[in-house]
């Protein structure tokens, strides 16, 4: 039994919800640093305030994926219940976020908003993998990229559009401008409507059909049951490795404390290394004790045994998303300070620069939407990994070019860097997932799409930990250098793409 080839409008409907999801993410990415600065955050503190977003994704996405693999509702199916619940919660968060009275409240709302968006977003990746045959995977993820680009373009332009129609773009100190507030309200409404469209207009294969598909597919994931002796041996490895990782985390934490380094680094030493080591130790002792049939051990072992293509793509994702996170954190302070020469959040110059960033983000997203369907054509003529390599190199050069722009009236500020970033963004959102979906077992599609998010989240946590330290210690608190570092990282990700053993050539 094979999955049927879907028509254009079927792929359209199943991807339409991403229009709303990306409006939420785009409003967050383009405006949260502005909100934090308005509420009194210093430049070097912005990365640690952003840490809620990736940390939430690290926890939420694999859990949602694990449970959505095991969910079946007679009317809503497997993935759609999670779309719906996430959309309702995210829409409410989008209404509340721009009304944050103080900085700590805004940081907390970012945490809640990002968790809700992740609940909706994670099953969408698995939804495409569930419903499309492998030869349509690139087209399906390209359709998602198209809606992501359109949604993000509109969301990024909203503050400027509202300002044009007379909505105030400035406010007293400590108050979020109305142009930002109303943009979040519109985004919250569209988020819910777009996801509802996919919920109502799409269908899913039953668990029995998915099991039949999996029996006919070949992949490099081992599905056979393992004896207790395997779990005992594997548990010993987890315990050993866990203690090593935990020890490294403790030593690094002491060094941060001893030399009074920036506290953001605790996210890396305690958060990633410390908690990661503890998770391995707990998993190891559970397996040694015969407690193997639970979700936690399953998640830890499946992470260990992920397909080889996924391991290769992990490095590509790490350096790609490190670059993107540097852009989302630092684009607003880089443009307002490096090009508009303003750090006063109540000034006209600062707010004009911040709105200019919205235009830049809008431009890279509309470019991503425009090239989304060209990438599969290039991949067919060459290969998926060469196409991704080329896109990432162009994106890296685009980020690096911002350092060389100093004139705030220059049109090339809004377009030249963003052309490369937009091409890279379209590719990042489609080609790695297309390469991955063909090697994943159907029964674990949701979980592994959630685990794949680790390689989006971990670089963001690393960026949140070290970028503030780098900017303050090495770059004289000039945020534009963080964008340059991000550009180098994206080019390196492109080079790593060439070593991926793609299942198919197009």
């Amino acid at each position: 039994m094979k999955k049927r080839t879907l028509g254009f409008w079927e792929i359209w409907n199943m991807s339409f919800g991403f229009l709303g999801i990306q409006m939420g993410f785009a409003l967050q990415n383009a405006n949260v640093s502005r909100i934090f600065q308005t509420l009194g955050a210093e430049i070097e503190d912005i990365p640690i305030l952003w840490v809620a977003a990736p940390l939430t994704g690290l926890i939420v996405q694999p859990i949602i994926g694990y449970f959505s693999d095991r969910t079946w509702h007679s009317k809503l199916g497997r993935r759609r219940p999670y779309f719906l619940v996430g959309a309702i919660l995210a829409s409410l968060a989008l209404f509340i976020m721009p009304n944050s009275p103080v900085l700590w409240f805004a940081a907390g709302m970012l945490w809640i908003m990002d968790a809700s968006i992740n609940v909706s977003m994670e099953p969408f990746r698995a939804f495409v993998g569930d419903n499309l045959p492998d030869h349509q995977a690139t087209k399906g993820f390209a359709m998602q990229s198209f809606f992501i680009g359109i949604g993000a373009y509109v969301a990024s332009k909203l503050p400027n559009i509202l300002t044009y129609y007379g909505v105030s773009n400035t406010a007293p100190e400590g108050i979020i401008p109305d142009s930002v507030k109303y943009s979040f309200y519109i985004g919250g409404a569209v988020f819910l409507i777009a996801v509802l469209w996919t919920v109502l207009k799409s269908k899913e294969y039953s668990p029995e059909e998915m099991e039949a598909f999996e029996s006919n597919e070949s992949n490099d994931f081992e599905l056979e049951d393992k004896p207790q002796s395997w779990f005992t041996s594997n548990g010993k490895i987890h315990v050993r490795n866990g203690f090593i990782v935990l020890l490294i985390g403790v030593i690094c934490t002491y060094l941060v404390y001893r030399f009074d380094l920036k506290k953001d680094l605790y996210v890396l030493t305690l958060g990633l290394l410390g908690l990661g080591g503890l998770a391995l130790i707990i998993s190891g002792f559970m397996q040694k004790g015969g407690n193997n049939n639970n979700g936690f051990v399953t998640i830890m072992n499946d992470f260990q045994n992920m397909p080889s293509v996924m391991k290769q793509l992990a490095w590509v994702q790490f350096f790609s998303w490190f670059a993107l996170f540097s852009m989302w954190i630092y684009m607003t302070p880089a443009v307002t300070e490096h090009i508009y020469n303003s750090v006063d959040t109540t000034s006209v110059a600062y707010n004009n620069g911040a709105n200019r960033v919205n235009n830049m983000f809008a431009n890279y997203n509309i470019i991503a939407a425009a090239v989304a369907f060209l990438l599969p054509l290039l991949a067919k003529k060459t290969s998926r990994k060469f196409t991704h390599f080329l896109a990432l190199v162009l994106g890296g050069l685009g980020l690096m070019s911002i350092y060389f722009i100093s004139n705030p009236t220059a049109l090339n500020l809004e377009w030249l860097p963003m052309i490369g970033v937009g091409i890279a963004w379209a590719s990042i959102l489609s080609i790695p997932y297309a390469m991955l979906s063909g090697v994943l077992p159907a029964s674990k599609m949701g979980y592994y799409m959630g685990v794949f998010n680790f390689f989006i989240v971990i670089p963001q946590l690393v960026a949140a930990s070290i970028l503030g330290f780098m900017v303050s210690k090495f770059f004289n608190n000039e945020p534009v250098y963080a964008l340059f570092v991000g550009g180098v990282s994206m080019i390196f990700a492109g080079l790593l793409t060439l070593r991926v053993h793609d299942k198919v050539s197009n």
Side-chain angles (χ1 to χ4, degrees):
M1 186 176 180
K2 296 183 177 180
K3 298 175 185 177
R4 68 183 183 88
T5 299
L6 299 188
F8 175 84
W9 291 111
E10 289 176 298
I11 300 175
W12 174 284
N13 289 336
M14 66 186 286
S15 303
F16 189 75
F18 250 107
L19 177 74
I21 290 174
Q22 196 57 34
M23 282 196 72
F25 263 129
L27 286 166
Q28 171 182 298
N29 293 338
N31 294 285
V32 165
S33 288
R34 179 179 184 177
I35 291 172
F36 286 161
Q37 283 189 280
T38 299
L39 294 174
E42 300 294 333
I43 291 291
E44 64 269 20
D45 294 328
I46 289 177
I48 198 63
L49 293 170
W50 268 86
V51 76
L55 185 60
T56 301
L58 183 68
I59 298 169
V60 169
Q61 290 218 16
I63 293 174
I64 294 298
Y66 176 84
F67 283 109
S68 70
D69 285 336
R70 291 158 174 76
T71 296
W72 180 255
H73 187 277
S74 58
K75 293 184 178 179
L76 292 177
R78 172 183 287 177
R79 314 294 180 188
R80 288 175 292 164
Y82 298 91
F83 300 169
L84 185 58
V85 171
I88 293 170
L89 295 175
S91 297
L92 291 173
L94 284 164
F95 275 87
I96 297 171
M97 178 71 179
N99 293 293
S100 300
V102 291
L103 184 59
W104 67 263
F105 186 92
M109 280 311 306
L110 174 61
W111 192 299
I112 295 170
M113 181 168 63
D114 201 81
S116 303
I117 294 174
N118 273 291
V119 170
S120 270
M121 187 185 74
E122 194 286 327
F124 261 97
R125 299 294 191 192
F127 194 49
V128 172
D130 287 344
N131 290 346
L132 290 178
D134 191 53
H135 72 273
Q136 284 193 302
T138 306
K139 182 183 294 184
F141 288 111
M143 182 71 81
Q144 283 193 355
S145 294
F146 171 76
F147 280 119
I148 288 170
I150 294 296
Y153 174 79
V154 173
S156 299
K157 293 288 285 187
L158 273 175
N160 278 308
I161 293 171
L162 293 173
T163 300
Y164 178 79
Y165 284 104
V167 178
S168 176
N169 188 47
T170 58
E173 185 176 357
I175 303 296
I176 312 301
D178 285 344
S179 60
V180 176
K181 286 184 179 180
Y182 295 152
S183 296
F184 273 70
Y185 300 159
I186 295 169
V190 174
F191 194 124
L192 183 59
I193 293 169
V195 172
L196 277 173
W197 180 275
T198 291
V199 169
L200 297 174
K201 293 289 186 177
S202 298
K203 297 180 180 180
E204 297 184 68
Y205 288 114
S206 69
E208 294 75 21
E209 289 172 314
M210 294 301 295
E211 185 176 352
F213 297 146
E214 185 170 356
S215 66
N216 292 329
E217 293 174 351
S218 61
N219 52 66
D220 59 354
F221 182 84
E222 298 179 7
L223 293 171
E224 71 272 10
D225 292 331
K226 296 180 175 64
Q228 177 57 42
S229 59
W230 183 93
F231 286 103
T232 301
S233 176
N234 194 56
K236 293 178 181 178
I237 295 172
H238 278 207
V239 171
R240 182 198 66 198
N241 292 344
F243 275 115
I244 292 173
V245 172
L246 181 60
L247 179 61
I248 294 172
V250 170
I251 292 172
C252 291
T253 300
Y254 172 75
L255 293 175
V256 173
Y257 171 78
R258 175 67 177 80
F259 295 102
D260 196 25
L261 301 178
K262 194 164 176 58
K263 301 301 183 288
D264 300 11
L265 296 172
Y266 286 132
V267 175
L268 186 61
T269 62
L270 287 176
L272 284 180
L273 295 175
L275 294 180
L278 284 174
L280 281 169
I281 293 170
I282 293 170
S283 170
F285 279 120
M286 292 177 76
Q287 292 181 72
K288 288 172 63 178
N291 188 9
N292 309 319
N293 296 320
N294 61 77
F296 178 72
V297 169
T298 300
I299 287 174
M300 294 297 291
N301 286 343
D302 284 349
F303 182 80
Q304 170 188 335
N305 297 315
M306 60 187 171
S308 58
V309 170
M310 189 172 175
K311 294 176 183 177
Q312 293 161 356
L313 285 170
W315 291 105
V316 177
Q317 293 290 88
F318 180 94
F319 289 101
S320 300
W321 286 87
F322 182 93
L324 290 170
F325 207 56
S326 72
M327 178 182 71
W328 291 332
I329 293 175
Y330 280 109
M331 185 65 82
T332 296
V335 169
T336 54
E337 181 178 323
H338 179 67
I339 299 175
Y340 279 79
N341 298 312
S342 177
V343 294
D344 179 6
T345 59
T346 65
S347 70
V348 173
Y350 175 90
N351 284 286
N352 284 343
N355 270 13
R356 199 77 181 273
V357 170
N358 278 304
N359 283 341
M360 295 169 72
F361 281 17
N363 289 344
Y364 88 72
N365 280 291
I366 198 63
I367 289 165
V371 304
F373 297 110
L374 298 178
L375 293 177
L377 298 178
L378 179 59
K380 190 172 183 178
K381 293 290 185 182
T382 57
S383 68
R384 293 195 293 206
K385 63 182 182 180
F386 176 79
T387 300
H388 197 48
F389 157 75
L390 181 62
L392 292 178
V393 170
L394 291 174
L397 294 174
L399 278 180
M400 294 167 70
S401 71
I402 294 172
Y403 174 81
F404 301 99
I405 299 174
S406 58
N407 183 1
T409 63
L411 289 176
N412 61 353
L413 169 62
E414 292 188 5
W415 283 105
L416 184 59
M418 297 297 104
I419 291 172
V421 173
I423 295 170
W425 182 231
S427 190
I428 289 168
L429 293 172
S430 58
I431 290 182
Y433 294 96
M435 289 193 283
L436 181 65
S437 64
V439 301
L440 297 181
S443 62
K444 296 179 182 289
M445 183 71 71
Y447 166 71
Y448 269 121
M449 285 295 182
V451 167
F452 199 51
N453 188 60
F454 282 8
F455 311 117
I456 296 173
V457 170
I458 291 174
Q460 293 181 38
L461 289 172
V462 172
S465 301
I466 69 172
L467 280 175
F469 173 76
M470 292 174 64
V471 168
S472 63
K473 295 296 183 182
F474 302 116
F475 301 132
N476 195 32
N477 275 328
E478 295 184 47
V480 71
Y481 286 101
L483 301 183
F484 198 91
V485 170
V488 173
S489 178
M490 190 170 284
I491 292 172
F492 186 61
L495 294 172
L496 290 174
T497 304
L498 298 176
R499 60 187 287 271
V500 176
H501 299 299
D502 193 10
K503 180 180 177 183
V504 296
S505 60
N506 54 53

